[in-house]
Amino acid sequence: MQQAHRHAENKSTDGDGHGHEHGRPHGHGEHGHGGHSHGVSADADRRWLTIALGLIVAYMAVEVVVAFLAHSLALISDAAHMLSDAASIVLALIAMRLAARPARGGYTYGLKRAEILSAQGNGLTLLLLSAWLAYESVERLVDPPEVGGGMVLVTALSGVLVNIAAAWCMSKANRSSLNIEGAFQHVLTDLYGFIATAVAGAVVMLTGFTRADSLATLVVVALMVRSGVSLVRASGRIFLEAAPPGMEPDEVGARMARQDGVVEVHDLHIWEITSGEVALSAHVLVEPGGDCHAVRTAVQADLRDGYGITHATLEVCSAPDGELVAVGSGEPAGRHCEEPHGTVHRREPEDR
């Protein structure tokens, strides 16, 4: 049985221009390390988040006092949500600092997923807080207390202004980061909650219908559940190393297999290291006598241009003679450098 062609180049260059020394048989293990840039510096992110945090903490202290004076659950729920807003921003700031630390020791990717932990924590906090507020609001629907509608209305309207300012500050940061998006969703949900509370305050003041306060709380609860579920689902996909939403591995594998000189692609894995930083690994078989180095470079360039994947680890080796006979037949394509796992992507006969 003919063995796979051996390649032992002294140095190759990946799609980002980083050289890698290697000299092992059966293929190339190349790594493209792409920068994770979004046009907003980490220092600017921290500055905008810190300003938003100051606005929220200052207003929250005032709101807690007014909420107890007015006996308003809606204001208490808004204050509780603002407390979670503040905690989410603090968590986001801590996660950003951890994620910025360089890779060392056993943490070969650094601590970049600290930001995803932060986002998941924000989502879970929203869900837990919504459960407590839903319980309290149902109790008050059954036995509504007296509510100071005027105080609720004035406080809620001022809260709308504060949250608009905080949301604007956070919108200036890099929201493509799930970490920052999680904190932003906290503030945005709080803004909607203040609007609902203002409406409830006006209803109580004009009609005396005190249950409007609890109904407004339920509106806030629904918004919190929606945001919380979205954050937990998105962060969960990253922790489970699923492919990014909208990126189909079968489509990516088929595109790789259509590259000139490629016979087969298998052991394809696509996952996110952190928000927007996608990694890929695969085993690529090249036509007998083909240039493995040129094929690897072309495939990496296509992944970068077509999907924005700049961290690609490709093991490339030459198929033995006779490999092309089986291409498109649905039968195993012959002996490989290693046994394939998962879906095998082969070129169709008309692609050759």
Side-chain angles (χ1 to χ4, degrees):
M1 182 71 69
Q2 183 177 0
Q3 298 297 317
H5 182 63
R6 292 172 179 263
H7 301 272
E9 300 178 25
N10 291 327
K11 187 175 183 180
S12 67
T13 305
D14 66 15
D16 292 315
H18 296 103
H20 297 274
E21 298 290 336
H22 61 91
R24 55 189 178 90
H26 303 306
H28 306 287
E30 298 301 329
H31 305 269
H33 303 284
H36 189 196
S37 174
H38 301 282
V40 181
S41 70
D43 287 341
D45 284 343
R46 285 192 285 268
R47 182 172 67 251
W48 287 115
L49 263 63
T50 302
I51 294 173
L53 177 63
L55 289 170
I56 288 171
V57 170
Y59 186 78
M60 180 183 65
V62 175
E63 186 181 22
V64 169
V65 175
V66 177
F68 281 102
L69 291 176
H71 304 290
S72 170
L73 179 62
L75 283 181
I76 293 174
S77 69
D78 285 332
H81 196 186
M82 290 195 86
L83 177 61
S84 72
D85 292 345
S88 71
I89 295 175
V90 170
L91 193 60
L93 289 168
I94 293 173
M96 288 171 65
R97 290 195 175 276
L98 290 175
R101 292 183 178 180
R104 63 182 62 179
Y107 296 94
T108 56
Y109 281 124
L111 297 174
K112 292 181 179 180
R113 281 197 176 170
E115 293 190 314
I116 310 305
L117 277 173
S118 170
Q120 190 164 73
N122 284 332
L124 291 172
T125 302
L126 282 170
L127 293 176
L128 292 173
L129 194 56
S130 66
W132 173 70
L133 291 174
Y135 175 79
E136 290 290 328
S137 61
V138 169
E139 273 199 334
R140 291 203 175 198
L141 279 174
V142 176
D143 184 21
E146 290 297 322
V147 177
M151 295 178 68
V152 171
L153 177 61
V154 172
T155 306
L157 288 175
S158 58
V160 168
L161 297 177
V162 171
N163 273 267
I164 287 175
W168 180 82
C169 289
M170 296 186 69
S171 70
K172 306 294 286 185
N174 171 27
R175 285 182 55 203
S176 64
S177 165
L178 192 60
N179 176 42
I180 294 177
E181 178 64 15
F184 179 79
Q185 286 298 325
H186 265 269
V187 174
L188 191 62
T189 304
D190 206 24
L191 171 60
Y192 296 150
F194 269 115
I195 294 172
T197 301
V199 173
V203 170
V204 171
M205 185 174 64
L206 296 174
T207 68
F209 181 62
T210 55
R211 285 185 173 86
D213 184 73
S214 296
L215 292 174
T217 303
L218 289 175
V219 172
V220 177
V221 165
L223 294 170
M224 292 169 71
V225 168
R226 187 184 71 169
S227 296
V229 168
S230 175
L231 286 170
V232 170
R233 181 186 293 121
S235 58
R237 284 185 61 90
I238 293 178
F239 283 127
L240 293 174
E241 298 193 334
M247 186 178 293
E248 294 295 333
D250 286 344
E251 177 188 313
V252 177
R255 176 166 173 158
M256 293 171 66
R258 288 195 296 268
Q259 290 290 314
D260 290 339
V262 174
V263 172
E264 176 181 301
V265 176
H266 58 263
D267 290 358
L268 174 63
H269 302 281
I270 306 173
W271 70 99
E272 282 186 281
I273 300 170
T274 187
S275 300
E277 190 166 348
V278 183
L280 177 147
S281 67
H283 189 177
V284 180
L285 287 181
V286 177
E287 294 175 346
D291 187 338
C292 290
H293 179 78
V295 169
R296 177 196 55 75
T297 301
V299 171
Q300 283 187 326
D302 188 61
L303 289 171
R304 182 180 62 249
D305 297 339
Y307 299 100
I309 300 175
T310 55
H311 190 118
T313 302
L314 302 178
E315 184 178 358
V316 183
C317 63
S318 181
D321 290 337
E323 183 79 22
L324 294 180
V325 175
V327 174
S329 68
E331 298 296 327
R335 183 168 178 174
H336 305 80
C337 299
E338 61 181 43
E339 288 300 315
H341 300 282
T343 303
V344 176
H345 304 276
R346 300 190 182 102
R347 295 179 65 187
E348 295 297 330
E350 59 269 20
D351 292 334
R352 291 189 280 115

